[in-house]
Amino acid sequence: MRGWLKALCLSLGLCGLTGEIAAAQGHFSGLARADARGSSLHVDEGVAYLNLSLSQPVPWRIRYLADPPRLVADFREVDFRALDFAKLLQGPGVTGFGSLRGGAVADGWSRLVLALDRPRLARLAELKTGQGDGTRALLRLELAEADEASFRLEAARRDPPGWALPVAADLAKPRAPRGSGPLVIMLDPGHGGLDPGAEYGGQTEAGLMLIFARELKEALLRNGFSDVRLTRERDVFVPLETRIALAHGAGADVFISLHADAVTEGVARGATIYTMAAEASDAASAALAERHDRDALMSGVDLTGQDDLIAGILMDMARVETAPRAAALSEDLVQAMSEAGIALHRIPRRSAAFSVLKAPDIPSVLIELGYLSSAGDLQRLNDPKWRANMAGAIVTGLQRWSVRDAAQGVLLRQ
């Protein structure tokens, strides 16, 4: 890389979007593949060295996030499946680094996130291309220790407009009065991309939920009373805030997030329906909400932004109406699942402060279909007949709720 371009990358935390690296996008097609043989992470005399071997040059950039300190590297586009992240974290001198993750983050983009042991900034960041035809590339990062103030200054740099969130419309799509049109449902398959969610027996929560979300969408559309959208259609990472923004953009009447967690202690099994609450209904609910939000945090997304005073008051006012509607939806879903013979958790209705349920004007629920750590639940999640029965129960619950909710809406308008 030319010296002036490397200096620009280091100063802006933005590489591969201008100059000769960006030109690579026009000369190569398809995914670049990460190569484990030429990739490494080690620490020597206080400096962390990260080398990432790629099958071809791609546009790229690096940036930083605080609380906890993280390095985020974005690429267009890299397949990380050949890398053993756990093995990389066992490199010489590598202690205190929290995690290393990589995967799809948006259409055409991949992300690598390294949770740092302390504030560090790149003293060197370059993509070296091979000799001859230049079909191979090596990303070299040298991360030197930095003081807290300097690191936070770099982490505070703004993303380019529209980088993580969908392009904002001038106005949110207006919602039709309750009961006056098809019920607009936003289904949210949890996790995805570099955030696989719970993992057990070689299967991931993200993969299983995408399968179920597609089947549930088809079941709802066959029933004919709803218009159904998905927050993600493939194995790609979608920030929690973006999922809510997509629901608002679609004018959604209801938001349903789909999950299947795993527990490391004790035994948990059966389906559970969560609604939003500032205080969790129990310690298990609080731990689950913290884990889901931490997964997003470790994937390179900050959830620490606070509403200003006026916005907070307006949202609290909106929730006065929305919270009882979400509770009623939860009741109807649990009843329909029980009637269908679905195995339910011993406490099937719970509440927790899930960030994905925080839309103040959309009744929202999070359905834990089961627990991957339960052999019975995992077997059921892989059974097409069970999934069809569960989808049918959700359709029934939604339809009952929509009829009652529409009737209440008419009374309110009168």
Side-chain angles (χ1 to χ4, degrees), residues 38-343:
S39 300
S40 64
L41 174 64
H42 70 278
V43 177
D44 185 20
E45 295 185 356
V47 178
Y49 297 84
L50 175 62
N51 295 318
L52 181 64
S53 178
L54 302 174
S55 60
Q56 65 185 45
V58 291
W60 63 287
R61 70 167 193 167
I62 62 170
R63 63 190 180 100
Y64 308 94
L65 293 173
D67 302 321
R70 284 152 288 162
L71 170 79
V72 178
D74 291 316
F75 305 86
R76 188 174 182 102
E77 178 175 16
V78 173
D79 182 347
F80 294 109
R81 285 178 294 181
L83 294 184
D84 185 338
F85 295 121
K87 186 176 181 180
L88 287 173
L89 285 171
Q90 295 172 3
V94 180
T95 57
F97 287 77
S99 66
L100 179 62
R101 289 185 177 185
V105 69
D107 287 341
W109 288 92
S110 301
R111 174 169 292 173
L112 190 73
V113 182
L114 175 62
L116 303 171
D117 59 338
R118 66 198 64 191
R120 293 179 179 273
L121 295 174
R123 71 179 189 185
L124 172 70
E126 63 177 6
L127 188 71
K128 298 186 66 175
T129 57
Q131 301 297 318
D133 61 4
T135 56
R136 297 199 63 80
L138 177 67
L139 176 67
R140 297 178 58 210
L141 300 177
E142 295 182 5
L143 305 170
E145 297 181 15
D147 61 84
E148 185 77 19
S150 298
F151 184 84
R152 287 188 174 276
L153 182 63
E154 290 298 320
R157 292 186 183 275
R158 292 182 177 272
D159 266 337
W163 175 261
L165 298 177
V167 177
D170 292 334
L171 291 172
K173 183 177 179 180
R175 262 186 219 96
R178 285 151 66 178
S180 63
L183 187 72
V184 181
I185 302 171
M186 181 62 76
L187 297 179
D188 173 44
H191 307 281
L194 79 167
D195 175 20
E199 298 179 84
Y200 205 84
Q203 293 186 285
T204 68
E205 181 180 4
L208 289 169
M209 291 306 96
L210 184 57
I211 291 171
F212 182 77
R214 289 168 173 165
E215 294 172 348
L216 177 56
K217 177 181 179 180
E218 291 302 315
L220 285 163
L221 293 177
R222 284 196 303 270
N223 200 274
F225 73 95
S226 59
D227 176 10
V228 188
R229 318 287 177 84
L230 267 64
T231 57
R232 63 181 181 94
E233 299 278 356
R234 63 186 185 92
D235 187 24
V236 62
F237 175 75
V238 182
L240 300 183
E241 296 94 334
T242 303
R243 296 171 193 252
I244 297 173
L246 290 170
H248 280 126
D253 298 303
V254 64
F255 181 93
I256 300 177
S257 192
L258 302 168
H259 290 261
D261 202 44
V263 295
T264 56
E265 297 181 3
V267 178
R269 62 174 67 92
T272 312
I273 315 294
Y274 283 89
T275 52
M276 177 63 192
E279 297 293 334
S281 56
D282 54 39
S285 300
L288 188 62
E290 180 183 357
R291 182 158 65 252
H292 281 319
D293 283 2
R294 186 179 68 244
D295 284 345
L297 184 70
M298 296 314 301
S299 300
V301 177
D302 275 318
L303 302 174
T304 55
Q306 299 296 320
D307 304 318
D308 62 38
L309 178 61
I310 300 300
I313 292 172
L314 292 174
M315 287 190 289
D316 287 342
M317 291 173 64
R319 290 191 182 103
V320 170
E321 177 186 356
T322 306
R325 296 174 64 199
L329 173 58
S330 173
E331 290 177 2
D332 284 333
L333 288 171
V334 167
Q335 181 178 348
M337 290 177 190
S338 179
E339 292 171 357
I342 300 292

